[in-house]
């Protein structure tokens, strides 16, 4: 198993994680621990997205642990988005920054460090340092949008389900 983007290689807890390729294709995220062979942690949706991009060699990554969850953050500058893997839930989510009246761009964080019990991240564009916390409810003054998507849901009779409210 090879590596597609040198700056995607990070340690996350006991894991070594990277954006890689093998003899069957490219655009797969792998993790390994100790003497265990690399295991695929990306899913079909992530891999489909990665393989449709003109380049993924510019990908960067970092990892961090917060409130019992271990995260691998994969920035894709050319694709203008960020994907995050949670090792506890084994699920992926997307992070983006939404400037007012503008298109979404990749998450602003580029690098991460813990300092005095705070998660600090650097801004990819201007190098500013921000605190990242679940208790902070904005992105440097901009509202954080939270978008929840779900696959199509069908009832037992195969008819679509409609929801008037989501909490």
């Amino acid at each position: 198993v090879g590596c597609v983007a040198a700056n995607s290689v990070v340690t996350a807890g006991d894991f070594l994680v990277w954006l890689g390729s093998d003899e069957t294709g490219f655009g797969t995220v792998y993790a390994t621990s100790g003497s265990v062979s690399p295991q695929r942690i990306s899913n079909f949706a992530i891999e489909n997205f990665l393989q449709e991009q003109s380049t993924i060699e510019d990908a960067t990554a970092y990892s961090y642990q917060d409130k019992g969850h271990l995260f691998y953050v994969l920035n894709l500058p050319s694709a203008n988005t960020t994907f995050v893997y949670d090792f506890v839930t084994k699920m992926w989510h997307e992070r983006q920054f939404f400037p007012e009246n503008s298109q979404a761009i990749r998450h602003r964080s580029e690098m991460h460090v813990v300092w005095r019990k705070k998660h600090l991240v650097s801004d990819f564009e201007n190098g500013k340092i921000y605190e990242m916390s679940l208790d902070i409810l904005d992105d440097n003054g901009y509202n954080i949008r939270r978008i929840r998507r779900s696959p199509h849901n069908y009832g037992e009779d195969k008819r679509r389900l409609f929801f008037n409210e989501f909490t």
Side-chain angles (χ1 to χ4, degrees):
V1 174
C3 179
V4 172
N7 292 323
S8 71
V9 181
V10 299
T11 56
D14 294 335
F15 297 95
L16 182 66
V17 190
W18 70 97
L19 176 56
S21 64
D22 65 12
E23 67 278 355
T24 63
F26 69 96
T28 304
V29 181
Y30 294 96
T32 187
S33 181
S35 61
V36 177
S37 296
Q39 301 295 309
R40 169 184 176 253
I41 62 169
S42 49
N43 59 33
F44 295 116
I46 298 293
E47 291 165 7
N48 183 58
F49 181 89
L50 293 170
Q51 292 167 11
E52 288 179 345
Q53 303 310 305
S54 59
T55 185
I56 55 175
E57 288 81 11
D58 61 348
T60 63
Y62 66 86
S63 68
Y64 71 100
Q65 184 274 335
D66 194 18
K67 304 207 186 312
H69 291 260
L70 178 61
F71 297 101
Y72 172 73
V73 181
L74 180 64
N75 287 310
L76 300 158
S78 293
N80 211 16
T81 197
T82 300
F83 289 114
V84 181
Y85 182 71
D86 182 338
F87 278 89
V88 174
T89 64
K90 298 185 179 357
M91 296 178 71
W92 286 88
H93 66 272
E94 187 175 18
R95 290 185 189 169
Q96 292 183 311
F97 175 69
F98 292 87
E100 283 187 35
N101 303 321
S102 296
Q103 294 285 346
I105 63 171
R106 61 169 274 199
H107 194 260
R108 299 210 65 87
S109 63
E110 180 65 25
M111 293 181 266
H112 169 272
V113 66
V114 174
W115 184 72
R116 294 188 179 180
K117 298 183 181 180
K118 292 181 179 183
H119 294 279
L120 302 179
V121 293
S122 66
D123 188 298
F124 75 92
E125 212 166 38
N126 59 31
K128 289 183 179 179
I129 305 296
Y130 299 107
E131 181 182 357
M132 184 172 65
S133 169
L134 294 173
D135 298 325
I136 298 172
L137 303 178
D138 65 47
D139 251 342
N140 192 31
Y142 292 95
N143 289 329
I144 297 175
R145 291 188 194 175
R146 289 172 174 83
I147 301 170
R148 175 69 172 133
R149 294 185 182 116
S150 170
H152 297 293
N153 291 300
Y154 295 94
E156 291 181 21
D157 60 357
K158 303 294 182 199
R159 291 180 18 185
R160 287 183 109 176
L161 298 175
F162 293 89
F163 300 94
N164 294 328
E165 187 177 322
F166 182 77
T167 303

